[in-house]
Amino acid sequence: MVGTVFSPALEGLKLVKSDKGEILTKPFLDVCKLLLPIIDRFGAAMALVKADVGGNISRLESKYSSNPSQFNFLFSLVRAEIEAKTNKAHASCTNGLLWLTRAMDFLVELFHNLLSHPDWTMLQVCNDSYNKTLKKWHGWLASSSFTVAMKFAPNRKKFMEMIGGGSGNINADMGKFCASFSPILKENHKFLASLGLDK
């Protein structure tokens, strides 16, 4: 493998914005999809996260595919639902984008913690990332399920070995990915918050 597991996502991030700086739907979803194989390396611990991320990507992709020119820009999926008054539906793209962004926040925080806290166990890394991102949006049941699932996380050394195959510096690429993807996620939050959806 040329480069690290983050190399494809780093390449994909270069295509996420239009010349005018707007987030493009397909490239954004492609980058999110490129994280699924990394989530896979966690095994059973991240099965819920992977299913959630995969489901939300599929929902947004399906809407995009219905009219690629109309939905070329990510936020156009939400604006169309607001006009149609379908944005509050549980299966809406609005809800899909909200939860996909939150899940990506969790992953970015997790990668950030792996880099910033080399002495932490994987359980500490996961729990801290969860507490800073998803926990406030989850009810008791989802929170408990997550806590139980995290007990199945691979140990840190094994995980880093699993994602470290190939050439290149895994820590450097992980850091670059966090630095490049975080501002895009912040834009999503800002847009959703402006609609009163991400408080």
Side-chain angles (χ1 to χ4, degrees), residues 30-46:
D30 287 346
V31 167
C32 294
K33 262 200 278 198
L34 287 167
L35 296 183
L36 293 174
I38 301 172
I39 299 172
D40 263 343
R41 307 286 167 94
F42 278 93
M46 289 283 181

Side-chain angles (χ1 to χ4, degrees), residues 10-31:
L10 285 169
E11 282 306 302
L13 279 168
K14 295 174 186 171
L15 309 171
V16 166
K17 291 205 166 180
S18 71
D19 296 340
K20 291 183 176 169
E22 293 173 280
I23 300 171
L24 298 164
T25 307
K26 186 161 182 354
F28 173 77
L29 295 176
D30 287 346
V31 167

Side-chain angles (χ1 to χ4, degrees), residues 122-150:
M122 190 55 109
L123 190 59
Q124 284 174 294
V125 165
C126 293
N127 284 336
D128 183 77
S129 307
Y130 179 70
N131 290 338
K132 285 181 182 163
T133 56
L134 290 170
K135 189 174 183 174
K136 62 185 163 210
W137 311 112
H138 279 173
W140 179 83
L141 190 63
S143 206
S144 304
S145 303
F146 190 89
T147 306
V148 170
M150 283 306 103

Side-chain angles (χ1 to χ4, degrees), residues 25 28-29 55-66 71 73-82 85-101 188 191-192 195 197:
T25 307
F28 173 77
L29 295 176
N56 286 322
I57 291 171
S58 296
R59 185 188 311 178
L60 294 161
E61 256 184 346
S62 172
K63 186 74 171 175
Y64 166 79
S65 300
S66 71
F71 299 124
F73 299 117
L74 187 61
F75 300 158
S76 62
L77 294 164
V78 175
R79 288 188 184 108
E81 288 185 340
I82 289 169
K85 296 193 174 14
T86 57
N87 59 303
K88 298 229 167 100
H90 179 68
S92 69
C93 287
T94 305
N95 203 33
L97 178 60
L98 181 64
W99 282 101
L100 179 59
T101 302
N188 287 358
F191 171 71
L192 292 163
L195 303 170
L197 296 167

